[in-house]
Amino acid sequence: MSFEQRKPLEHTIDSILLCIGSIRSGASVSYLTGLLDDYISNMPDGPFDPSVYGWKYSFFDLLHILEALVRQQNMKAIKSIEKARDSFPIEYVDHKMCQIALGRIKLKKPEGFIPLEAIEMAVPMDRLFQALEGRKSSKKDGFKEAYGEFFNPELYPYHSQLENMYSEQEEDDEYMDNDDDMEDDEF
């Protein structure tokens, strides 16, 4: 099927995946981990346009597979999710959402909905509204507050790299705050 033909199926497939995730059984875990492994192994290297590239998984996304696996709360999913996480750079939302899924399974905290949280992580609405209103960001790191327990050194092998990334970002934010050369109306 072409990309245009597959698009209407997206909602249906996402719902089916979540339904399978809610059925806690060995068969469901096996199916979902197999699907995740195949999804990652067939993912093209680098960015791509799904409407041009004939990728067989262009009609549903990784986030719904992760959410279904979190609903399973089965430790057998750990290796597949770790493999998926490690296929993305640490600054990607996909990487972080895989780690959140791992944390929710390991700590037995299935609350949340990964697809919506990924959208919020990619486009933080509070910061967007502050920018639209012309207010400066509060600079409070909501990510650490909401998801810090899933990124601690015991659960997350890239903890130090993530900390370095955030500290560099905070330094850049401080530099921008201290830049008095730009008037408000110049922006």
Side-chain angles (χ1 to χ4, degrees), residues 96-97 99-101 103-104 107 111-121 141-152 155-156 159 162 166:
K96 293 174 186 169
M97 295 316 299
Q99 180 59 33
I100 290 167
R104 287 187 174 155
L107 299 177
E111 298 81 24
F113 188 65
I114 287 179
L116 290 179
E117 291 169 301
I119 293 169
E120 174 62 26
M121 192 178 295
D141 189 0
F143 176 81
K144 286 182 181 179
E145 186 177 307
Y147 304 110
E149 68 183 318
F150 305 131
F151 289 85
N152 68 48
L155 292 178
Y156 186 54
H159 180 264
L162 191 66
Y166 274 109

Side-chain angles (χ1 to χ4, degrees), residues 119-129:
I119 293 169
E120 174 62 26
M121 192 178 295
V123 184
M125 296 311 277
D126 58 337
R127 289 191 179 196
L128 178 64
F129 286 131

Side-chain angles (χ1 to χ4, degrees), residues 65-83:
I65 301 171
L66 292 174
E67 179 62 29
L69 286 167
V70 167
R71 290 178 181 196
Q72 287 289 313
Q73 287 293 295
N74 192 312
M75 296 298 247
K76 291 179 182 176
I78 298 294
K79 286 192 185 286
S80 292
I81 299 173
E82 286 175 341
K83 182 180 171 187

Side-chain angles (χ1 to χ4, degrees), residues 15-42:
S15 297
I16 291 169
L17 285 173
L18 297 177
C19 183
I20 292 169
S22 297
I23 301 169
R24 291 186 179 188
S25 71
S28 294
V29 173
S30 294
Y31 174 76
L32 291 168
T33 56
L35 183 63
L36 177 61
D37 291 341
D38 193 54
Y39 184 99
I40 294 300
S41 67
N42 282 289

